[in-house]
Amino acid sequence: MCAALSSLDNIVRAFRERRLLNLLSSQETNERLACSLSGDTIELLPFLPYLLQDFWELGSDPEVMVELIRKHVDISDTTRVLDLACGKGAVSVKIADELGVKVKGIDLTSEFVEYAKLKAQEFSVNDLCEFAIGDINEAVATETDYDCVIYGAVGLDVLGSPLEALNKLKATVKPGGYILIEEGYIPDDGKQGDIRFNKDAYHPLQHWMDLFKEAGFELLETAAGHSEGDHNSETGLAAITKRANELSEMHPDKIALFKEYVRNQQDEYDDIDNNLVCVTWVLRKH
């Protein structure tokens, strides 16, 4: 595990010194980011590297992404892939390692980005991987002409409304380019009330189909059968609970904050296991 994740004081100090939160464009964006990571408040953001230190695969299933790119994208030595909200770089590193293509990963959290760089070196793909600290809301306005863009398990609401988000992602790929979105949908309209965490972010399948068409995308594939990555719901929650308890001992004034995070994570795991259908959509830009 990266040494930078071993000390909470170092994490918080580095976070403040770099003023990473200033990279976010608004209070609303801060709150969306916190919510996408199972937090209710931006107060939690500096503690996320500590809470998630036992995970490498944050979000998308790397093997699913690799196989979908292999299947749909015409791979060459000029192929360029963008991984938005790349976390600790598991998807980016494995794409570069298995497909030999150039990948740029962008994430807000400096500790995650530094860890991703270490993993790229470990897999001997640092010449193919570029990792940058940044706000993905800004990145979608400046990053263009990619063959494939990955937006994995981040939550489209981080980029605005679902349609706004799709249009922003569309601008990052060249004509005929691909967007891979890992998301959950509600299996039928009557299930909306069963969602336990961030229920407004999820929609029935037909709603997504209508949005893809409106945004000018062709749906090529809906891929399911994801692996559980570093942890399944049981071991993942246990790891997060352990780290939250450690933080509570270090910061007794924030016990309620960490307990709420664990409850939210439990609700999110329950939603994934019982209330949502989680898939990766392969979209092609017209």
Side-chain angles (χ1 to χ4, degrees):
M1 182 56 55
C2 178
L5 299 180
S6 63
S7 167
L8 177 63
D9 290 337
N10 288 340
I11 290 169
V12 174
R13 182 164 55 252
F15 203 96
R16 289 171 177 164
E17 287 174 353
R18 295 183 182 90
R19 297 183 180 181
L20 281 180
L21 291 180
N22 289 342
L23 290 171
L24 292 172
S25 58
S26 67
Q27 178 80 6
E28 181 182 9
T29 305
N30 270 336
E31 292 169 352
R32 287 173 177 172
L33 176 64
C35 192
S36 76
L37 294 166
S38 303
D40 284 337
T41 170
I42 62 174
E43 186 182 3
L44 185 70
L45 291 177
F47 300 100
L48 285 172
Y50 192 96
L51 286 163
L52 299 174
Q53 65 181 276
D54 301 299
F55 299 77
W56 182 30
E57 297 181 9
L58 295 174
S60 299
D61 183 332
E63 297 306 322
V64 169
M65 293 300 180
V66 167
E67 290 310 309
L68 290 174
I69 293 173
R70 194 195 310 272
K71 180 177 180 180
H72 292 282
V73 180
D74 185 13
I75 297 172
S76 71
D77 56 4
T78 63
T79 299
R80 298 170 64 237
V81 176
L82 177 64
D83 186 4
L84 291 168
C86 66
K88 299 182 186 180
V91 171
S92 297
V93 168
K94 292 187 179 181
I95 287 173
D97 181 49
E98 296 192 33
L99 302 180
V101 300
K102 293 183 178 180
V103 187
K104 181 174 183 178
I106 299 174
D107 199 273
L108 180 69
T109 304
S110 64
E111 287 77 20
F112 291 174
V113 170
E114 291 306 311
Y115 190 84
K117 291 177 181 178
L118 291 176
K119 297 300 286 188
Q121 293 178 358
E122 178 184 326
F123 279 75
S124 300
V125 293
N126 46 301
D127 58 329
L128 293 173
C129 290
E130 175 187 357
F131 292 105
I133 303 167
D135 176 6
I136 62 172
N137 279 276
E138 295 178 2
V140 293
T142 58
E143 299 288 342
T144 60
D145 207 35
Y146 284 89
D147 298 280
C148 180
V149 173
I150 294 170
Y151 194 80
V154 183
L156 285 167
D157 57 331
V158 173
L159 296 177
S161 72
L163 184 58
E164 289 173 335
L166 289 171
N167 283 324
K168 289 176 181 178
L169 292 172
K170 183 179 177 181
T172 62
V173 295
K174 60 180 60 174
Y178 301 84
I179 305 285
L180 273 58
I181 300 175
E182 184 175 321
E183 184 59 87
Y185 69 82
I186 302 169
D188 64 68
D189 293 347
K191 288 284 189 179
Q192 184 82 44
D194 294 335
I195 303 300
R196 300 181 61 175
F197 179 74
N198 199 21
K199 64 176 60 182
D200 292 338
Y202 298 106
H203 307 280
L205 180 59
Q206 188 56 52
H207 182 71
W208 286 113
M209 299 300 103
D210 294 341
L211 287 172
F212 296 156
K213 184 176 180 180
E214 186 175 355
F217 284 112
E218 176 187 3
L219 175 62
L220 298 181
E221 184 173 347
T222 299
H226 299 199
S227 73
E228 295 178 321
D230 296 323
H231 295 278
N232 59 34
S233 56
E234 182 179 351
T235 62
L237 185 64
I240 289 170
T241 301
K242 175 185 175 183
R243 299 306 180 184
N245 289 339
E246 291 171 356
L247 287 175
S248 294
E249 292 182 5
M250 291 184 249
H251 299 269
D253 59 318
K254 298 187 184 297
I255 289 176
L257 176 70
F258 303 131
K259 284 186 175 180
E260 183 66 20
Y261 177 72
V262 173
R263 284 194 295 268
N264 287 342
Q265 192 66 61
Q266 173 71 73
D267 287 345
E268 189 170 32
Y269 276 129
D270 286 345
D271 285 335
I272 291 170
D273 290 342
N274 302 307
N275 300 321
L276 296 170
V277 178
C278 296
V279 298
T280 299
W281 289 307
V282 181
L283 307 175
R284 181 164 59 196
K285 178 180 176 179
H286 288 314

